Structure formats: structure tokens, C-alpha cells
Coordinates of all heavy atoms in Angstrom, one line a residue:
M30 N 7.9 -101.0 -87.2 CA 8.7 -101.2 -86.1 C 8.3 -100.5 -84.8 O 7.6 -99.4 -85.0 CB 10.2 -101.1 -86.4 CG 10.7 -99.7 -86.7 SD 12.4 -99.7 -87.2 CE 13.3 -100.6 -86.0
R31 N 8.7 -100.8 -83.7 CA 8.4 -100.1 -82.4 C 9.6 -99.4 -81.9 O 10.7 -100.1 -81.9 CB 7.9 -101.0 -81.4 CG 6.7 -102.0 -81.8 CD 5.4 -101.1 -81.9 NE 4.4 -102.0 -82.4 CZ 3.6 -102.8 -81.8 NH1 3.8 -102.8 -80.4 NH2 2.7 -103.5 -82.3
V32 N 9.5 -98.2 -81.3 CA 10.6 -97.5 -80.8 C 10.2 -97.1 -79.3 O 9.1 -96.5 -79.2 CB 11.0 -96.3 -81.5 CG1 12.0 -95.5 -81.0 CG2 11.6 -96.8 -83.0
V33 N 11.1 -97.2 -78.4 CA 10.9 -96.7 -77.1 C 12.1 -95.9 -76.6 O 13.3 -96.5 -76.8 CB 10.6 -97.8 -76.0 CG1 10.4 -97.3 -74.6 CG2 9.2 -98.5 -76.4
V34 N 12.0 -94.8 -76.1 CA 13.1 -94.1 -75.5 C 12.9 -94.0 -74.0 O 11.8 -93.5 -73.6 CB 13.3 -92.6 -76.1 CG1 14.4 -91.9 -75.5 CG2 13.5 -92.8 -77.6
D35 N 13.9 -94.4 -73.2 CA 13.9 -94.3 -71.8 C 14.2 -92.8 -71.5 O 15.4 -92.4 -71.5 CB 14.9 -95.2 -71.2 CG 15.0 -95.1 -69.7 OD1 14.4 -94.2 -69.1 OD2 15.6 -96.0 -69.1
L36 N 13.1 -92.0 -71.3 CA 13.2 -90.6 -71.0 C 13.9 -90.3 -69.7 O 14.4 -89.2 -69.4 CB 11.9 -89.9 -71.2 CG 11.3 -90.0 -72.6 CD1 9.9 -89.4 -72.6 CD2 12.2 -89.4 -73.6
N37 N 14.0 -91.3 -68.8 CA 14.8 -91.1 -67.6 C 16.3 -91.1 -67.8 O 17.0 -90.5 -67.1 CB 14.3 -92.1 -66.5 CG 13.0 -92.0 -66.0 OD1 12.6 -90.8 -65.8 ND2 12.3 -93.0 -65.9
R38 N 16.6 -91.8 -68.8 CA 18.0 -92.0 -69.2 C 18.5 -90.9 -70.2 O 19.6 -90.4 -70.2 CB 18.3 -93.3 -69.8 CG 19.7 -93.7 -70.1 CD 19.8 -95.1 -70.6 NE 19.8 -96.0 -69.6 CZ 20.0 -97.3 -69.7 NH1 20.5 -97.8 -70.9 NH2 20.0 -98.2 -68.7
C39 N 17.6 -90.4 -71.1 CA 17.9 -89.5 -72.1 C 18.4 -88.1 -71.4 O 17.8 -87.6 -70.5 CB 16.6 -89.1 -72.9 SG 16.8 -87.8 -74.1
Q40 N 19.5 -87.7 -72.0 CA 20.2 -86.4 -71.5 C 20.1 -85.3 -72.6 O 20.8 -84.4 -72.5 CB 21.6 -86.7 -71.2 CG 21.8 -87.8 -70.1 CD 21.2 -87.2 -68.7 OE1 21.4 -86.1 -68.3 NE2 20.5 -88.0 -68.0
A41 N 19.2 -85.5 -73.6 CA 19.0 -84.5 -74.6 C 20.3 -84.1 -75.4 O 20.5 -83.0 -75.8 CB 18.4 -83.2 -74.1
Y42 N 21.1 -85.2 -75.7 CA 22.4 -84.9 -76.4 C 22.1 -84.7 -77.9 O 22.9 -84.2 -78.6 CB 23.3 -86.1 -76.3 CG 23.9 -86.2 -75.0 CD1 23.7 -87.4 -74.2 CD2 24.7 -85.2 -74.3 CE1 24.2 -87.6 -73.0 CE2 25.2 -85.4 -73.1 CZ 24.9 -86.6 -72.4 OH 25.5 -86.7 -71.1
A43 N 20.9 -85.1 -78.4 CA 20.4 -84.8 -79.8 C 21.1 -85.6 -80.8 O 20.9 -85.4 -82.0 CB 20.4 -83.3 -80.1
Q44 N 21.9 -86.5 -80.4 CA 22.6 -87.4 -81.5 C 21.6 -88.2 -82.3 O 21.7 -88.3 -83.6 CB 23.6 -88.3 -80.8 CG 24.7 -87.6 -80.1 CD 25.4 -86.7 -81.1 OE1 25.8 -87.0 -82.1 NE2 25.5 -85.4 -80.5
C45 N 20.5 -88.6 -81.7 CA 19.4 -89.3 -82.5 C 18.7 -88.3 -83.4 O 18.3 -88.7 -84.6 CB 18.4 -89.8 -81.6 SG 17.6 -88.6 -80.4
V46 N 18.6 -87.0 -83.1 CA 18.0 -86.1 -84.0 C 18.8 -85.9 -85.1 O 18.2 -85.8 -86.3 CB 17.8 -84.8 -83.2 CG1 17.2 -83.6 -84.2 CG2 17.0 -84.9 -82.0
Y47 N 20.1 -85.8 -85.1 CA 21.0 -85.7 -86.2 C 21.0 -87.0 -87.0 O 21.1 -86.9 -88.3 CB 22.5 -85.4 -85.8 CG 22.6 -84.1 -85.1 CD1 23.0 -84.0 -83.8 CD2 22.2 -82.9 -85.7 CE1 23.1 -82.8 -83.2 CE2 22.4 -81.7 -85.1 CZ 22.8 -81.7 -83.8 OH 22.9 -80.5 -83.1
A48 N 20.9 -88.1 -86.4 CA 20.9 -89.4 -87.1 C 19.6 -89.7 -87.9 O 19.6 -90.3 -88.9 CB 21.3 -90.6 -86.2
A49 N 18.5 -89.3 -87.3 CA 17.2 -89.6 -87.8 C 16.2 -88.5 -87.7 O 15.3 -88.6 -86.9 CB 16.7 -91.0 -87.3
P50 N 16.5 -87.3 -88.3 CA 15.7 -86.2 -88.1 C 14.2 -86.4 -88.4 O 13.3 -85.6 -87.9 CB 16.3 -85.1 -88.9 CG 17.0 -85.9 -90.0 CD 17.5 -87.1 -89.3
R51 N 13.8 -87.3 -89.2 CA 12.4 -87.5 -89.5 C 11.7 -88.2 -88.4 O 10.4 -88.2 -88.4 CB 12.1 -88.3 -90.8 CG 12.7 -87.5 -92.0 CD 12.4 -88.3 -93.3 NE 13.0 -89.5 -93.3 CZ 12.3 -90.7 -93.6 NH1 11.1 -90.7 -93.8 NH2 13.0 -91.9 -93.6
H52 N 12.4 -88.7 -87.4 CA 11.8 -89.5 -86.4 C 12.0 -89.1 -84.9 O 11.4 -89.6 -84.0 CB 12.3 -91.1 -86.5 CG 12.0 -91.6 -87.8 ND1 10.6 -92.0 -88.3 CD2 12.8 -91.8 -88.9 CE1 10.7 -92.4 -89.4 NE2 12.0 -92.3 -89.9
F53 N 13.0 -88.3 -84.8 CA 13.3 -87.7 -83.5 C 13.5 -86.2 -83.5 O 14.1 -85.6 -84.5 CB 14.7 -88.3 -83.0 CG 14.7 -89.7 -82.7 CD1 15.0 -90.6 -83.8 CD2 14.3 -90.3 -81.6 CE1 15.0 -91.9 -83.6 CE2 14.4 -91.7 -81.4 CZ 14.6 -92.5 -82.3
A54 N 13.0 -85.5 -82.5 CA 13.2 -84.0 -82.5 C 13.2 -83.6 -81.0 O 12.6 -84.2 -80.1 CB 12.0 -83.3 -83.2
L55 N 13.9 -82.5 -80.8 CA 13.9 -81.9 -79.5 C 13.1 -80.6 -79.6 O 13.2 -79.7 -80.4 CB 15.4 -81.5 -79.1 CG 16.2 -82.6 -78.6 CD1 17.7 -82.1 -78.4 CD2 15.7 -83.3 -77.3
H56 N 12.2 -80.6 -78.6 CA 11.3 -79.4 -78.4 C 11.9 -78.6 -77.3 O 11.9 -79.2 -76.1 CB 9.9 -79.7 -78.2 CG 9.2 -80.1 -79.5 ND1 7.8 -80.1 -79.6 CD2 9.7 -80.5 -80.7 CE1 7.6 -80.5 -81.0 NE2 8.7 -80.7 -81.6
G57 N 12.4 -77.5 -77.5 CA 13.1 -76.7 -76.5 C 14.4 -77.4 -76.2 O 15.0 -78.0 -77.2
R58 N 14.9 -77.3 -75.1 CA 16.4 -77.8 -74.9 C 16.4 -79.2 -74.4 O 17.3 -79.9 -74.4 CB 17.1 -77.0 -73.9 CG 17.5 -75.6 -74.6 CD 18.2 -74.7 -73.6 NE 19.1 -73.8 -74.4 CZ 20.3 -73.5 -74.1 NH1 20.9 -74.0 -73.0 NH2 21.0 -72.7 -74.8
E59 N 15.2 -79.7 -73.8 CA 15.3 -81.0 -73.2 C 14.1 -82.0 -73.6 O 14.3 -83.1 -73.2 CB 15.3 -80.8 -71.7 CG 16.5 -80.1 -71.1 CD 16.5 -79.9 -69.7 OE1 15.5 -80.3 -69.0 OE2 17.5 -79.4 -69.1
A60 N 13.0 -81.5 -74.2 CA 11.9 -82.4 -74.4 C 12.1 -83.1 -75.7 O 11.9 -82.6 -76.8 CB 10.7 -81.6 -74.4
L61 N 12.4 -84.4 -75.6 CA 12.6 -85.2 -76.9 C 11.1 -85.7 -77.2 O 10.5 -86.3 -76.4 CB 13.5 -86.4 -76.6 CG 13.6 -87.3 -77.7 CD1 14.5 -86.7 -78.8 CD2 14.3 -88.6 -77.3
V62 N 10.8 -85.5 -78.5 CA 9.6 -86.2 -79.1 C 10.1 -87.1 -80.2 O 11.1 -86.9 -80.9 CB 8.6 -85.2 -79.6 CG1 8.0 -84.4 -78.5 CG2 9.2 -84.2 -80.7
Y63 N 9.4 -88.3 -80.3 CA 9.9 -89.3 -81.3 C 8.7 -90.0 -81.8 O 7.6 -90.2 -81.2 CB 11.0 -90.0 -80.7 CG 10.4 -91.0 -79.5 CD1 10.2 -92.3 -79.7 CD2 10.4 -90.4 -78.2 CE1 9.7 -93.1 -78.7 CE2 9.9 -91.2 -77.1 CZ 9.6 -92.5 -77.4 OH 9.2 -93.3 -76.3
D64 N 9.0 -90.7 -82.9 CA 8.1 -91.6 -83.6 C 8.1 -93.0 -83.0 O 9.1 -93.6 -83.0 CB 8.4 -91.6 -85.1 CG 7.4 -92.4 -86.0 OD1 6.5 -93.0 -85.4 OD2 7.6 -92.5 -87.1
T65 N 7.0 -93.4 -82.4 CA 7.0 -94.7 -81.6 C 6.9 -95.9 -82.6 O 7.0 -97.0 -82.2 CB 5.9 -94.7 -80.5 OG1 4.6 -94.5 -81.2 CG2 6.1 -93.6 -79.4
A66 N 6.3 -95.6 -83.8 CA 5.9 -96.7 -84.7 C 6.4 -96.3 -86.2 O 5.6 -96.2 -87.1 CB 4.5 -97.0 -84.7
P67 N 7.7 -96.1 -86.4 CA 8.1 -95.8 -87.7 C 8.1 -97.0 -88.7 O 7.9 -98.2 -88.2 CB 9.6 -95.5 -87.5 CG 10.0 -96.2 -86.3 CD 8.8 -96.2 -85.4
D68 N 7.9 -96.7 -89.9 CA 7.8 -97.8 -91.0 C 9.1 -98.7 -90.9 O 10.2 -98.2 -90.7 CB 7.7 -97.1 -92.3 CG 7.2 -98.1 -93.3 OD1 8.0 -98.9 -93.8 OD2 6.0 -98.0 -93.6
D69 N 8.9 -99.9 -91.2 CA 10.1 -100.8 -91.2 C 11.1 -100.5 -92.3 O 12.3 -100.8 -92.1 CB 9.5 -102.3 -91.5 CG 9.1 -103.0 -90.2 OD1 9.4 -102.5 -89.2 OD2 8.4 -104.1 -90.4
A70 N 10.7 -99.7 -93.2 CA 11.6 -99.3 -94.3 C 12.5 -98.3 -93.7 O 13.7 -98.1 -94.4 CB 10.8 -98.6 -95.4
D71 N 12.3 -97.6 -92.6 CA 13.3 -96.8 -92.0 C 14.2 -97.4 -90.9 O 14.8 -96.7 -90.1 CB 12.5 -95.7 -91.3 CG 11.7 -94.8 -92.4 OD1 12.2 -94.7 -93.6 OD2 10.7 -94.3 -92.1
R72 N 14.2 -98.7 -91.0 CA 14.9 -99.4 -89.9 C 16.4 -99.0 -89.8 O 16.9 -98.8 -88.7 CB 14.9 -100.9 -90.2 CG 15.7 -101.8 -89.2 CD 15.8 -103.2 -89.7 NE 14.5 -103.8 -89.7 CZ 14.1 -104.8 -88.9 NH1 15.0 -105.1 -88.0 NH2 12.9 -105.2 -89.0
A73 N 17.1 -98.8 -90.9 CA 18.5 -98.5 -90.9 C 18.7 -97.1 -90.2 O 19.6 -96.9 -89.4 CB 19.0 -98.5 -92.3
E74 N 17.7 -96.2 -90.5 CA 17.8 -94.8 -89.9 C 17.6 -94.9 -88.4 O 18.4 -94.3 -87.6 CB 16.8 -94.0 -90.6 CG 16.9 -92.5 -90.4 CD 15.9 -91.7 -91.3 OE1 15.3 -92.3 -92.1 OE2 15.8 -90.6 -90.9
I75 N 16.6 -95.8 -88.0 CA 16.3 -95.8 -86.6 C 17.5 -96.5 -85.8 O 17.9 -96.1 -84.7 CB 15.1 -96.6 -86.3 CG1 13.9 -96.0 -86.9 CG2 14.8 -97.0 -84.8 CD1 13.6 -94.6 -86.3
E76 N 18.1 -97.6 -86.4 CA 19.2 -98.2 -85.8 C 20.4 -97.3 -85.7 O 21.1 -97.4 -84.7 CB 19.6 -99.4 -86.7 CG 18.5 -100.6 -86.3 CD 18.7 -101.8 -87.2 OE1 19.6 -101.8 -88.1 OE2 18.1 -102.8 -87.0
R77 N 20.6 -96.5 -86.7 CA 21.7 -95.6 -86.6 C 21.5 -94.5 -85.5 O 22.4 -94.2 -84.7 CB 21.7 -94.7 -88.0 CG 23.1 -94.1 -88.3 CD 23.2 -93.7 -89.8 NE 22.1 -93.0 -90.3 CZ 21.4 -93.6 -91.4 NH1 21.7 -94.6 -92.0 NH2 20.4 -92.8 -91.8
A78 N 20.2 -94.1 -85.3 CA 20.0 -93.2 -84.1 C 20.2 -94.0 -82.8 O 20.7 -93.3 -81.9 CB 18.6 -92.8 -84.2
A79 N 19.8 -95.2 -82.7 CA 20.0 -96.0 -81.5 C 21.5 -96.1 -81.1 O 21.9 -96.0 -80.0 CB 19.3 -97.4 -81.5
L80 N 22.3 -96.4 -82.2 CA 23.7 -96.6 -82.0 C 24.4 -95.2 -81.6 O 25.4 -95.2 -80.9 CB 24.3 -97.2 -83.2 CG 24.0 -98.6 -83.4 CD1 24.5 -99.1 -84.8 CD2 24.6 -99.5 -82.3
A81 N 23.8 -94.2 -82.1 CA 24.4 -92.9 -81.9 C 24.1 -92.4 -80.5 O 24.9 -91.5 -80.0 CB 23.9 -91.8 -82.9
C82 N 23.1 -92.8 -79.9 CA 22.8 -92.4 -78.5 C 23.9 -92.8 -77.5 O 24.1 -93.9 -77.2 CB 21.4 -93.0 -78.1 SG 20.9 -92.3 -76.4
P83 N 24.4 -91.7 -76.8 CA 25.5 -92.0 -76.0 C 25.2 -92.7 -74.6 O 26.0 -93.3 -74.0 CB 26.2 -90.6 -75.7 CG 25.1 -89.6 -76.1 CD 24.3 -90.3 -77.1
V84 N 23.9 -92.6 -74.3 CA 23.5 -93.2 -73.1 C 22.6 -94.4 -73.3 O 22.0 -95.1 -72.4 CB 22.8 -92.2 -72.2 CG1 23.7 -91.2 -71.7 CG2 21.5 -91.7 -72.8
R85 N 22.5 -94.9 -74.6 CA 21.8 -96.0 -75.0 C 20.3 -96.1 -74.5 O 19.9 -97.0 -73.9 CB 22.4 -97.4 -74.6 CG 23.9 -97.6 -75.1 CD 23.7 -98.0 -76.5 NE 25.0 -98.3 -77.1 CZ 25.7 -97.5 -77.9 NH1 25.2 -96.3 -78.2 NH2 26.8 -97.9 -78.5
A86 N 19.7 -94.9 -74.7 CA 18.3 -94.8 -74.2 C 17.2 -95.3 -75.2 O 16.1 -95.3 -74.8 CB 18.0 -93.3 -74.0
I87 N 17.6 -95.5 -76.5 CA 16.7 -95.9 -77.5 C 16.7 -97.5 -77.7 O 17.8 -98.1 -77.9 CB 17.2 -95.2 -78.8 CG1 17.1 -93.7 -78.7 CG2 16.1 -95.7 -79.9 CD1 17.8 -93.0 -79.8
T88 N 15.4 -98.0 -77.6 CA 15.3 -99.4 -77.9 C 14.4 -99.5 -79.2 O 13.3 -98.8 -79.2 CB 14.5 -100.1 -76.7 OG1 15.4 -99.9 -75.5 CG2 14.5 -101.6 -77.1
A89 N 14.7 -100.3 -80.1 CA 13.9 -100.5 -81.2 C 13.9 -102.0 -81.6 O 14.8 -102.7 -81.4 CB 14.5 -99.7 -82.4
C90 N 12.6 -102.4 -82.1 CA 12.5 -103.8 -82.5 C 11.4 -103.9 -83.6 O 10.6 -102.9 -83.7 CB 12.2 -104.7 -81.3 SG 10.6 -104.5 -80.6
A91 N 11.4 -105.0 -84.3 CA 10.5 -105.1 -85.4 C 9.1 -105.3 -84.8 O 9.0 -105.8 -83.8 CB 10.9 -106.3 -86.3
D92 N 8.0 -105.0 -85.6 CA 6.7 -105.2 -85.1 C 6.4 -106.7 -84.7 O 5.7 -106.9 -83.7 CB 5.7 -104.9 -86.2 CG 5.5 -103.3 -86.2 OD1 5.6 -102.7 -85.3 OD2 5.1 -102.8 -87.4
D93 N 6.9 -107.6 -85.5 CA 6.7 -109.0 -85.1 C 7.2 -109.4 -83.7 O 6.6 -110.1 -82.9 CB 7.0 -110.0 -86.2 CG 8.5 -109.8 -86.6 OD1 9.1 -108.8 -86.2 OD2 8.9 -110.6 -87.4
L94 N 8.4 -108.8 -83.4 CA 9.0 -109.2 -82.1 C 8.2 -108.4 -81.0 O 8.1 -109.1 -79.9 CB 10.5 -108.6 -82.1 CG 11.4 -109.5 -82.9 CD1 12.8 -108.9 -82.9 CD2 11.4 -111.0 -82.5
A95 N 7.8 -107.2 -81.3 CA 7.0 -106.5 -80.2 C 5.7 -107.1 -80.0 O 5.3 -107.2 -78.8 CB 6.8 -105.1 -80.8
A96 N 5.1 -107.8 -80.9 CA 3.8 -108.4 -80.8 C 4.1 -109.7 -79.9 O 3.2 -110.0 -78.9 CB 3.2 -108.9 -82.1
L97 N 5.2 -110.4 -80.1 CA 5.4 -111.5 -79.3 C 5.7 -111.1 -77.8 O 5.3 -111.7 -76.9 CB 6.7 -112.3 -79.8 CG 6.6 -113.1 -81.1 CD1 7.9 -113.6 -81.5 CD2 5.6 -114.2 -80.8
D98 N 6.4 -110.0 -77.7 CA 6.7 -109.5 -76.4 C 5.4 -109.1 -75.6 O 5.2 -109.5 -74.5 CB 7.6 -108.3 -76.5 CG 8.2 -107.9 -75.1 OD1 8.6 -108.8 -74.3 OD2 8.2 -106.7 -74.8
E99 N 4.5 -108.4 -76.3 CA 3.2 -108.1 -75.7 C 2.4 -109.3 -75.3 O 1.6 -109.3 -74.4 CB 2.5 -107.2 -76.7 CG 3.0 -105.8 -76.7 CD 2.5 -105.0 -77.9 OE1 1.6 -105.5 -78.5 OE2 3.0 -103.9 -78.1
A100 N 2.5 -110.4 -76.1 CA 1.8 -111.6 -75.7 C 2.5 -112.4 -74.6 O 2.0 -113.4 -74.1 CB 1.8 -112.5 -77.0
G101 N 3.6 -111.9 -74.2 CA 4.3 -112.6 -73.1 C 5.0 -113.9 -73.4 O 5.2 -114.8 -72.5
R102 N 5.4 -114.0 -74.6 CA 6.1 -115.3 -75.1 C 7.5 -115.1 -75.0 O 8.0 -114.0 -75.0 CB 5.7 -115.6 -76.5 CG 4.1 -115.9 -76.5 CD 3.7 -116.3 -78.0 NE 2.3 -116.2 -77.9 CZ 1.6 -116.2 -79.1 NH1 2.2 -116.2 -80.2 NH2 0.3 -116.1 -79.1
Ligands
SF4_7 S1 20.7 -89.3 -78.4 FE1 19.9 -90.4 -76.6 S2 20.2 -89.0 -75.0 FE2 20.3 -87.7 -76.9 S3 18.4 -87.0 -77.3 FE3 18.5 -88.9 -78.4 S4 17.7 -90.4 -76.9 FE4 18.2 -88.6 -75.7

């Protein structure tokens, strides 16, 4: 699956880090690093992180939907 975080919106609340620590981490107090292409098997964890984000900065979708989007369909 594909994951994008709007870093202009992210306020480093770290809720995603608690929800999905294998895919999101804060380096220092403000720099979020994250897995942009987690395995589909981790979908529930990623969705939990997206729902936990108080500013809705996390967007996630399945690989097949991302491919359609990139093709402009
Ligand atoms: S929960 Fe949202 S605001 Fe907080 S670090 Fe994660 S992406 Fe950023």
C-alpha cells in the first residue's frame, strides 16, 4: 500500500507513532519519518494510525488504487 503524510499539516503529535510504531517514528521533537510503502498485510495498523492523527495528515491507499491514480484514471 502507499502512505503519504502531509508534513505541512503534521504537528508532531505522535499519535501515529503509538498506533503503528513499525511504520512511523519521530526523530527529535518534530521530524516525522514513515514507511511510504508498507505491506498490505499491515493495512489495519496503518488505518489505525491514520484515524489516530488529530489533524488528518495521513493518507493511505492500496497499491492498485495508487497505480490508477498515477495513471490519471
Ligand atoms: S499523528 Fe498526525 S500530526 Fe501526529 S505525528 Fe503523526 S502525522 Fe503528524
